[in-house]
Structure formats: structure tokens, C-alpha cells
Amino acid sequence: PGSAGGKLWHIVDYESYADEGFNQNEIIYSAIMFKARAISQTPAQAYTGTMSNRDPLEDEQGGMMALAESPNAYQSFVEFVQLCLVYLNLSGNVFIYMDTDGAQPSWHPLRPDRVTIIPMPADNTVGYMYVPDGGTEDDAIPVTRDQMMHIKFPNPRDRLGGMDYGMSPLS
């Protein structure tokens, strides 16, 4: 396991899974895209309350419903959900950067192989480092836990009590 502030290594080779699995294997591509097309047919909806007692949010300006319909300036809800599902099925992880600095909050899915988990054992949390395309570790951007949504598949060898990398179905 990683030490305080030390990074954790990825448990999958994302590049190989994307190239050999998704791009060159029509069965894997078809299975993942079938799920991506199916899930994107679900309408965007934001809720308030708890999981057991929730109420749909109606047309509100600039709030969660607007974010659900248009997660960022570059993607529609369908494009966002489909990309997240492809990332989840290839790597076992989806990392979504939640930008709350602007007038309209936005969500940005990050390529999972460019995000590194940094354990913080002192307070039992994690942080993240994101390396932009073409960058090196010197170019890494720190991202706090409250700025990142990490969705993952279960990993039976999780070293961080639910905060480690998820396991890809291709594993």
C-alpha cells in the first residue's frame, strides 16, 4: 500500500485495455457500447432528500438539474454518461473532476490512467493527482477529495477501505 502522500500504482494497463480490448476486439467494444447506449437512454434527473425518501428537483435555473442536463460546456448528458461508462468498463474507475469555481458548476470526466490516488492515512482519506495529456509527473495537478467523484467497480484487494482503484471487468 501507499504511504502518507505516496501514490498508488494503477492495477490495470489502461492503454492495453483501450487498444487491444476496446479498439481491436469487436466483442468487447460491442458489449461496452451496448451498455453505454442503453444507459444514455435514461433521462437526466436530479433529486433532493435521501435514497429512501427522495423528491425530484423540478426546473431550477443553474442548479443540479442544469448540471445533470449539461455537465460541462463540451459534452451533452449523453456524451458524458457514455464516456464515463466506457472508462468504468475499461479501467474499473471513473474520475470526475467537479469544478465549482465558475458561475455554473461543471463536471469533467478524466481519463483514468492519468489520475493517481494519493492515500492520506492520517485522516483516512485520499487525494488525487491528475497528469494532463503529454505531461509528466512534474506537471501533475493536485485534486482534493471534495473536488473529485470516484466511481468504481468492486475490488476484492482494495487496500484503502473502499477508496482504492476499482477492478476492471477486463481483468
Side-chain angles (χ1 to χ4, degrees):
S3 59
K7 68 182 189 173
L8 294 180
W9 296 103
H10 290 266
I11 60 175
V12 301
D13 180 358
Y14 179 80
E15 289 281 338
S16 293
Y17 285 6
D19 290 340
E20 297 170 23
F22 191 73
N23 293 340
Q24 297 175 19
N25 186 315
E26 63 272 3
I27 294 171
I28 292 172
Y29 174 84
S30 296
I32 292 173
M33 290 309 297
F34 179 82
K35 291 196 298 187
R37 284 189 292 276
I39 198 169
S40 66
Q41 299 302 312
T42 305
Q45 181 62 61
Y47 295 90
T48 186
T50 63
M51 289 298 289
S52 60
N53 185 19
R54 61 184 183 188
D55 294 314
L57 292 174
E58 299 304 326
D59 296 330
E60 56 169 328
Q61 293 297 324
M64 287 302 293
M65 195 58 207
L67 186 59
E69 291 172 352
S70 180
N72 59 59
Y74 310 104
Q75 294 175 307
S76 68
F77 170 75
V78 169
E79 292 168 323
F80 175 84
V81 168
Q82 287 182 343
L83 183 58
C84 287
L85 194 121
V86 168
Y87 285 162
L88 181 64
N89 280 271
L90 288 179
S91 77
N93 299 278
V94 176
F95 295 96
I96 301 169
Y97 173 70
M98 299 180 293
D99 183 2
T100 57
D101 291 338
Q104 172 63 38
S106 60
W107 290 351
H108 303 272
L110 304 177
R111 240 179 70 173
D113 61 325
R114 295 185 183 154
V115 178
T116 303
I117 295 173
I118 310 294
M120 304 296 179
D123 59 358
N124 198 31
T125 63
V126 297
Y128 305 90
M129 295 296 284
Y130 172 70
V131 178
D133 185 30
T136 66
E137 284 190 20
D138 293 336
D139 303 313
I141 301 165
V143 180
T144 62
R145 186 174 181 199
D146 63 333
Q147 295 173 303
M148 186 76 78
M149 184 185 316
H150 181 194
I151 302 166
K152 58 196 163 290
F153 280 133
N155 175 1
R157 299 194 66 191
D158 185 333
R159 302 156 289 187
L160 299 175
M163 294 183 284
D164 202 346
Y165 295 108
M167 181 172 278
S168 167
L170 298 182
S171 294

